[in-house]
Amino acid sequence: RASFQQRLSEYLMTLPPERRKLLIFVHGYNTNMTSAILQASQFVEDSGYDGVPLLFSWASNAKTLEYVYDINSALVARDHLVAMFDTINLPAVGEYDVVAHSMGTFLVMEASRQIVLTTGLDPTGKLKNVILAAPDIDVDLFYEQIKLFPKDQRNIIVLVSKDDKALKASRRVAGGVARLGQASASDIAQLGVTAIDLSDVEDENTLSHSKFKDSPEVVQQIGEAL
């Protein structure tokens, strides 16, 4: 940890002040390390993000039929993600954003819930945006998670799409319970977060599950927002 903090701080201090920021990327289900690195790199390149990307990888089994294994692995990684947020609490870090995809959004929300119950959400004031892309979270669970967040700290952007075929499969595995990534944007917005419906964006190459990084217009708008 100390070595990582030193290297990160030294690198950040070589950048202009406005670029001393981090993008924490949390991958989703069925993703090995190589794929996670490629996804994070592609997102940074296409979005034009000019800070420092940081990939948080968790132990997905990277197999389509290992959904239960992956969700348990995400829960195992929860404490480690909480610890990572503490690790980046450095003077050299000006601010940071979080971009999570699919089951990675479940991990981020569970870790955030844990932080809310202990230190309070974002005690440093450096967290700017949390983007939950195609979130594979039980809708009812998300409603319970978000209740704990102070209303003035719900700087969360939820990207949903009704044609997300991967989440349709996830819903079947979950006993028919709706996933957040297919919920109504207007309903989600009532919780005090920003919800954007990407249903009209075409992306057949990834089962409409990765529009946040594979649709040029979407990824560029996210980059501008960040």
Side-chain angles (χ1 to χ4, degrees):
R1 166 175 159 138
S3 175
F4 172 80
Q5 288 178 315
Q6 180 180 352
R7 292 177 61 192
L8 179 60
S9 295
E10 289 175 351
Y11 180 69
L12 284 167
M13 293 308 292
T14 67
L15 302 175
E18 66 273 12
R19 292 185 57 196
R20 293 174 192 169
K21 56 186 179 179
L22 303 179
L23 174 70
I24 300 167
F25 188 95
V26 184
H27 66 77
Y29 149 74
N30 189 19
T31 304
N32 61 25
M33 175 68 84
T34 300
S35 179
I37 292 171
L38 289 172
Q39 288 179 25
S41 301
Q42 177 193 341
F43 179 82
V44 169
E45 177 69 20
D46 294 346
S47 68
Y49 184 79
D50 61 354
V52 178
L54 192 160
L55 169 66
F56 182 88
S57 181
W58 52 277
S60 165
N61 204 27
K63 295 180 181 177
T64 304
L65 299 180
E66 296 289 352
Y67 186 88
V68 175
Y69 180 99
D70 273 19
I71 203 165
N72 286 325
S73 290
L75 287 171
V76 170
R78 180 174 47 193
D79 289 348
H80 299 282
L81 182 56
V82 171
M84 194 215 65
F85 285 126
D86 182 60
T87 297
I88 64 169
N89 182 17
L90 302 166
V93 177
E95 61 184 53
Y96 64 93
D97 298 288
V98 178
V99 175
H101 178 228
S102 188
M103 194 178 286
T105 64
F106 167 71
L107 169 55
V108 166
M109 287 300 297
E110 281 293 289
S112 299
R113 178 185 181 277
Q114 189 166 318
I115 292 171
V116 169
L117 293 172
T118 52
T119 61
L121 191 65
D122 189 27
T124 65
K126 294 182 177 182
L127 174 61
K128 297 305 175 184
N129 301 286
V130 177
I131 295 178
L132 305 179
D136 189 0
I137 306 175
D138 181 306
V139 168
D140 294 330
L141 173 60
F142 181 76
Y143 286 2
E144 291 301 313
Q145 292 168 329
I146 202 69
K147 281 181 183 178
L148 297 172
F149 289 45
K151 291 185 178 180
D152 62 346
Q153 291 183 286
R154 297 181 184 180
N155 50 331
I156 298 173
I157 301 169
V158 183
L159 305 180
V160 304
S161 184
K162 293 181 177 62
D163 63 342
D164 190 322
K165 298 179 180 62
L167 290 183
K168 287 182 181 178
S170 173
R171 179 172 182 166
R172 288 196 295 271
V173 174
V177 179
R179 317 316 288 165
L180 180 64
Q182 288 187 307
S184 163
S186 58
D187 289 346
I188 299 171
Q190 293 180 15
L191 301 172
V193 304
T194 300
I196 302 174
D197 191 339
L198 303 179
S199 298
D200 291 336
V201 176
E202 295 185 5
D203 179 27
E204 293 301 322
N205 294 329
T206 61
L207 302 176
S208 298
H209 190 54
S210 298
K211 294 181 180 181
F212 81 105
K213 66 179 181 65
D214 290 336
S215 171
E217 56 268 49
V218 174
V219 71
Q220 288 167 15
Q221 287 186 27
I222 292 175
E224 290 172 5
L226 295 176

